Amino acid sequence: MDKGYSGFNPYKTNNGTNKHLEMKPTIAPMRMYDNVIIVKAENIISEHAEKAIKGHPFAHPKNSPVKVPYDATVKKKSKKGYEQVKYTWKKGGYKYESRWHASTPDAPNKRQSWVVTRTKPGSGSNKPITMVKSGNKWVSWDVWKAVIKARQSGVATKAQLKLLNAGHFTRKRGKK
Amino acid sequence: MKPEFTKLLDLYKGFEGEPGYFFAAADKGNNFHYYIKAWLGYVDDIIEEPHQVDNKFVGLTKLYCDIDFDSFNHGLDNFYKVDDKKEFLDDLLWYKNNTEVKDEALLLLNGLVELVQYAVNNNLDLLVANDEDA
């Protein structure tokens, strides 16, 4: 054993020889297995999502402004000059939707970005209630709708544009 | 049989990246004879106060309030096929006659009435999808 070393060294056997010359220890740290790759849980995505984000690393669910569960439904749309990947899932009585879209030549917001909504399903005679994430807040769909209309008509106020920009996430989660 | 021309009403241009709906009158070969693309906000404008028949949503209202488009999947099968076109038309006409829908939402409402009437008259299917499915 190496002088002064009291812990387990996965690369050496107990008598100090190189591990590949000796039998493998019975209990080994996971990194000794060639076929095990340890990744963060949020980096695991379904095969379907893997296909959907091909060529668009920012569309990876780990970049979503809210955490996307592994079993989220993934849908991709590819049209001329414009692509979109949408993740949907249900949690706590809400239906969540995190939607990435590529830069859109015809839309005022030309950069690729994420938009997140959550919807409480309609009940009885009530419409579904949708909220849109803008920065750290959830704003009502009615407010969001009014802002989008104002932008389309070219009459949006600074406050409305700020709210709209905050609802189009262009950076990775947690980065300013 | 493929139509000689396809009619399109596009109320989605400029809203790319936003949620929307796609409505189509299609034959059995899935050829679209008439279709409408619209931003979700205009549909929401029509259904400001949801219309009910015998305490139930029907037609466009049912589609907007009750149907989860993510519960069925992918390709042309993604389309929700409206079983009762007459009921759908009646729901649209209720909004036309009893509400004050304006601007683009009114364009959409009139377009939908025309599209559904076209589907009824020509025995075509009425298909609906989320914009990303179409």
Side-chain angles (χ1 to χ4, degrees):
Chain A
M1 188 180 284
D2 292 340
K3 200 178 173 184
Y5 179 75
S6 57
F8 174 73
N9 181 343
Y11 300 106
K12 298 278 185 185
T13 61
N14 286 345
N15 63 12
T17 56
N18 287 335
K19 75 174 178 71
H20 66 272
L21 300 175
E22 297 290 329
M23 282 174 63
K24 283 183 179 173
T26 314
I27 302 169
M30 284 182 78
R31 60 181 169 170
M32 287 194 73
Y33 294 103
D34 293 337
N35 58 345
V36 173
I37 303 165
I38 301 171
V39 291
K40 278 186 178 177
E42 67 173 346
N43 289 344
I44 299 173
I45 58 173
S46 66
E47 202 181 318
H48 195 167
E50 194 87 57
K51 280 183 192 164
I53 65 168
K54 206 173 176 187
H56 300 292
F58 192 52
H60 192 291
K62 73 178 177 187
N63 296 323
S64 160
V66 296
K67 215 167 186 176
V68 177
Y70 172 73
D71 55 355
T73 301
V74 188
K75 285 189 177 179
K76 184 186 184 184
K77 175 186 180 178
S78 295
K79 294 245 169 170
K80 248 192 323 194
Y82 158 54
E83 285 188 285
Q84 178 175 286
V85 180
K86 188 178 90 169
Y87 302 89
T88 53
W89 67 96
K90 287 177 182 161
K91 188 182 170 190
Y94 287 98
K95 181 186 164 188
Y96 284 82
E97 179 179 309
S98 192
R99 167 195 292 254
W100 166 88
H101 66 80
S103 55
T104 51
D106 291 329
N109 181 9
K110 291 183 171 38
R111 296 169 70 187
Q112 61 167 331
S113 61
W114 288 83
V115 175
V116 182
T117 58
R118 67 177 189 190
T119 301
K120 206 164 198 103
S123 62
S125 60
N126 298 321
K127 283 205 292 191
I129 299 168
T130 299
M131 309 287 278
V132 184
K133 192 170 169 63
S134 177
N136 293 323
K137 291 183 290 191
W138 290 95
V139 299
S140 81
W141 166 246
D142 284 341
V143 170
W144 186 255
K145 191 174 75 170
V147 171
I148 289 178
K149 279 184 182 174
R151 181 194 64 184
Q152 288 298 93
S153 313
V155 296
T157 63
K158 273 187 182 172
Q160 284 179 316
L161 290 174
K162 196 175 167 189
L163 188 130
L164 202 61
N165 284 336
H168 285 89
F169 295 82
T170 54
R171 294 184 183 88
K172 289 184 180 180
R173 192 164 69 228
K175 292 204 173 175
K176 297 215 168 177
Chain B
M1 194 178 71
K2 264 196 163 176
E4 282 180 29
F5 64 92
T6 301
K7 192 169 176 182
L8 163 69
L9 173 61
D10 190 353
L11 293 169
Y12 189 71
K13 196 168 169 56
F15 291 98
E16 288 82 357
E18 298 290 336
Y21 275 117
F22 183 96
F23 303 87
D27 58 33
K28 304 291 175 207
N30 280 324
N31 299 305
F32 299 150
H33 293 239
Y34 188 162
Y35 64 93
I36 295 176
K37 287 154 73 174
W39 173 49
L40 181 71
Y42 296 144
V43 180
D44 189 71
D45 281 349
I46 294 173
I47 307 173
E48 194 66 44
E49 293 293 327
H51 167 230
Q52 288 190 306
V53 176
D54 298 332
N55 293 320
K56 276 189 202 162
F57 296 138
V58 296
L60 181 70
T61 317
K62 179 180 170 184
L63 205 82
Y64 184 72
C65 295
D66 281 349
I67 304 294
D68 181 4
F69 279 86
D70 294 305
S71 62
F72 46 95
N73 274 314
H74 311 304
L76 270 174
D77 296 337
N78 270 350
F79 283 93
Y80 174 81
K81 185 178 160 189
V82 175
D83 290 327
D84 194 336
K85 288 176 278 194
K86 178 74 175 57
E87 186 183 68
F88 201 96
L89 185 59
D90 288 345
D91 191 47
L92 293 172
L93 292 173
W94 186 90
Y95 286 108
K96 201 166 157 52
N97 297 327
N98 295 282
T99 63
E100 291 182 3
V101 179
K102 290 183 289 189
D103 306 327
E104 282 82 359
L106 182 59
L107 268 180
L108 174 62
L109 182 55
N110 288 336
L112 285 174
V113 168
E114 193 179 82
L115 183 146
V116 179
Q117 271 169 344
Y118 186 88
V120 170
N121 295 342
N122 294 282
N123 198 23
L124 298 170
D125 286 339
L126 176 58
L127 306 176
V128 189
N130 272 165
D131 66 291
E132 67 274 11
D133 297 329

